[in-house]
Amino acid sequence: MKHAYAFHATVFLLLGYPGAADLAIGASPPFPKPNILLIIADDLGYGDVQCLNPQRGRIPTPHLDRLATQGMTFTDAHSGSSVCTPTRYGLLTGRYAWRTRLQAGVLDGGNDEPLIAANRLTVAGFLQQQGYYTACIGKWHLGFRSDAQPVSSEDKKDFGSRGLPLGARILGGPVTRGFDYFWGCSNARTMSSVIEHDQVVEKLPPVEMLPQLIRRVVDQIGARAADAKSGRPFFLYVPLTSPHTPIVPAPAWQGKSPLGPYGDFVMQTDAGVGSILAALDEHDLADETLVLFTSDNGCSPQAGTTKLEAQGHFASASYRGYKADIWEGGHRVPFFVRWPGRVQPGAHSDRLVCLTDFLATCADILSLSLPATAGEDSVSFLPALTGVVGAAPRGAVVHHSIQGRFSLREGPWKLNFCAGSGGWSAPSDAAAGRQGLPQWQLYDLIADPAETINLYDTKPEETVRLAAVLSQYITAGRSTPGPPCPNDVLVKSPFPPYEKTRKSSAQ
């Protein structure tokens, strides 16, 4: 059982990389270029959407439920990380963020070196090259520099008070990473500093951010409608600021749910999505627009999950853990895709999907190949969307927690490279070690989706195999076919040592 990482080269060659055929080879597109609208909520749990959690969810989400009936629901979709910044990096670049300097946690958001390198191809940059108008409206949280120093409040609980002063310019922001237009903020603690293009143009109370954001998206759809109908499609990336803390439902939404402010804020978020979809209808763009909705990670315990559960609402549905954790509740996310005429309404897919797959899917839609140095961890899910018979399942997906703990998922098997949650839930890794729990956790998610029975001691062959796959993914700088690519830094990995612990595996 020792030194399982030594087997990685053999495993790498034998894997065959399911999903390689998903990438198109430059044929002409089989259908016109669609407008692409991607909405990503902030800290919305899988179980916060009513249609995904009808027995253990108590927050009405009629607009998301309707979107699900109009398109395809992916029930095994995952964010690239269980926290914000790394997921957004992976979504826009098709590359796991742990290959960068960000090995754990998130960016501060005040004045950071951009996490996306200037020469890194993004989804926005790729679509821009194909004639798309590209806009980002919402929360960026991928770093930028400024010609001014951040300001802050002495009250650490005063969300949104940190940020940049009016008139400050940002350097290395969205308009330098493939977007033609940006309106929004860096992150939750700096959302009072509203940026347009590359300048702070307004100071806004947090309670006003979500309504303003939705209005901006609706206006942008109206402004682009004529061009979209005349041949220039748009890519609209909408990273919402909700229902992340500060939990600030607008006055009109306060008291609307049976669960208090968090439920109110989720309902307001759902209504915002409804307003955006209504704008597509109003401008006769729905039939020509590919709509995707998801979340950047699971629900945060700061939403008051203990109280919510006491009220009968389980934001992670039946899955273990919450935001920040390596367990499923940290990174299994809602994922709905609507594309009239291409995606069957009311369809469901249990295909394993990661948000890093968005870039390869866009390339596949346009029948284009990605450069070898782009989308190293991106696999197209277009065959699943369009119902291709016999489409190969996706290969392994790597999960990552706030503390930089790894997990590898392949088929029914999931190997967590830590003893505890890897995040904020109990037991922590240190506490699990003190309890004598095994150093790693192996689960069969088909038989045990709640990750309650650790098979680390009883399935050594699966542990060795999955460990080898992760080792090779790290070493090769990619998890898709292609030449090896360098990671930006030396990746902090769980290898070596690999030693089997013969402690109790009951958890």
Side-chain angles (χ1 to χ4, degrees):
M1 288 292 293
K2 291 186 178 181
H3 309 304
Y5 55 90
F7 300 119
H8 62 68
T10 301
V11 174
F12 187 77
L13 293 173
L14 293 176
L15 286 176
Y17 286 110
D22 291 356
L23 291 177
I25 317 293
S28 59
F31 30 72
K33 295 178 181 178
N35 304 308
I36 301 174
L37 169 62
L38 171 60
I39 306 172
I40 178 168
D42 199 353
D43 289 6
L44 183 75
Y46 183 91
D48 283 330
V49 181
Q50 183 67 30
C51 66
L52 297 177
N53 191 23
Q55 302 303 319
R56 293 158 64 92
R58 297 191 60 213
I59 303 175
T61 53
H63 300 284
L64 290 175
D65 295 349
R66 187 179 306 115
L67 178 63
T69 66
Q70 295 170 341
M72 178 173 285
T73 298
F74 285 85
T75 57
D76 202 357
H78 300 263
S79 52
S81 169
S82 58
V83 284
C84 171
T85 299
T87 287
R88 290 158 202 271
Y89 177 91
L91 175 68
L92 291 178
T93 67
R95 182 180 189 238
Y96 294 128
W98 48 261
R99 301 193 186 280
T100 74
R101 72 179 193 273
L102 190 67
Q103 300 286 293
V106 300
L107 295 186
D108 177 69
N111 196 340
D112 300 295
E113 187 67 27
L115 188 60
I116 301 177
N119 62 350
R120 168 65 53 179
L121 182 67
T122 65
V123 174
F126 173 76
L127 293 174
Q128 200 177 52
Q129 293 171 5
Q130 311 312 316
Y132 277 73
Y133 171 84
T134 59
C136 171
I137 299 178
K139 171 181 167 180
W140 181 241
H141 210 180
L142 284 165
F144 47 67
R145 290 294 191 187
S146 174
D147 62 359
Q149 289 298 312
V151 295
S152 62
S153 167
E154 295 180 0
D155 183 356
K156 294 182 179 180
K157 295 181 180 180
D158 187 7
F159 276 90
S161 61
R162 296 172 57 191
L164 297 168
L166 280 172
R169 290 196 173 276
I170 66 168
L171 312 169
V175 295
T176 70
R177 297 302 189 267
F179 288 99
D180 294 308
Y181 177 76
F182 173 63
W183 184 95
C185 62
S186 172
N187 71 340
R189 292 188 180 274
T190 62
M191 71 168 65
S192 67
S193 294
V194 177
I195 301 160
E196 188 166 25
H197 291 298
D198 61 355
Q199 187 172 14
V200 178
V201 296
E202 185 179 3
K203 302 296 282 188
L204 196 66
V207 71
E208 283 294 320
M209 173 52 76
L210 182 59
Q212 288 274 15
L213 191 164
I214 298 299
R215 282 195 285 270
R216 291 277 175 168
V217 176
V218 169
D219 290 346
Q220 189 74 191
I221 290 172
R224 303 310 308 173
D227 282 353
K229 292 174 183 177
S230 62
R232 189 184 184 192
F234 60 77
F235 167 49
L236 186 52
Y237 170 53
V238 184
L240 301 175
T241 54
S242 62
H244 190 291
T245 52
I247 298 172
V248 284
W253 287 96
Q254 293 172 13
K256 291 289 187 180
S257 87
L259 300 176
Y262 181 73
D264 298 343
F265 210 25
V266 170
M267 290 184 67
Q268 183 180 352
T269 302
D270 175 75
V273 173
S275 296
I276 294 171
L277 299 179
L280 293 177
D281 292 334
E282 179 183 350
H283 295 285
D284 297 322
L285 294 172
D287 288 345
E288 290 77 41
T289 302
L290 168 63
V291 176
L292 307 96
F293 176 88
T294 189
S295 179
D296 63 346
N297 44 247
C299 176
S300 172
Q302 295 176 347
T305 51
T306 300
K307 182 178 180 180
L308 290 170
E309 289 178 4
Q311 295 173 293
H313 179 77
F314 292 78
S316 295
S318 59
Y319 299 106
R320 188 179 185 183
Y322 285 104
K323 175 184 177 177
D325 298 337
I326 203 64
W327 295 320
E328 291 293 285
H331 48 78
R332 189 179 288 239
V333 292
F335 192 39
F336 307 122
V337 183
R338 187 185 80 180
W339 192 5
R342 308 297 175 188
V343 174
Q344 181 180 353
H348 285 73
S349 175
D350 61 0
R351 175 189 171 96
L352 180 62
V353 171
C354 182
L355 296 189
T356 57
D357 296 341
F358 182 54
L359 175 56
T361 303
C362 288
D364 203 0
I365 287 170
L366 301 179
S367 295
L368 295 172
S369 298
L370 292 172
T373 56
E376 294 95 326
D377 302 301
S378 191
V379 178
S380 173
F381 53 82
L382 181 62
L385 281 180
T386 54
V388 173
V389 177
R394 194 198 194 285
V397 166
V398 180
H399 307 309
H400 210 232
S401 77
I402 192 171
Q403 295 177 357
R405 307 303 189 192
F406 283 91
S407 176
L408 187 107
R409 167 75 186 285
E410 187 178 57
W413 296 106
K414 182 183 178 188
L415 180 60
N416 299 338
F417 295 82
C418 57
S421 70
W424 296 334
S425 294
S428 66
D429 295 336
R434 290 192 296 270
Q435 294 171 27
L437 297 176
Q439 63 176 357
W440 290 354
Q441 305 165 64
L442 177 69
Y443 298 107
D444 178 349
L445 291 185
I446 300 299
D448 179 29
E451 296 172 278
T452 60
I453 304 172
N454 188 353
L455 302 175
Y456 175 79
D457 281 334
T458 59
K459 295 286 185 180
E461 69 285 356
E462 292 297 339
T463 301
V464 170
R465 184 179 66 81
L466 295 172
V469 175
L470 177 62
S471 179
Q472 184 57 34
Y473 281 3
I474 293 172
T475 302
R478 67 186 313 136
S479 57
T480 58
C485 290
N487 297 312
D488 295 353
V489 298
L490 180 65
V491 175
K492 183 180 179 183
S493 77
F495 310 102
Y498 170 58
E499 297 179 349
K500 188 168 183 290
T501 303
R502 296 193 179 279
K503 301 286 186 181
S504 170
S505 60
Q507 287 196 42

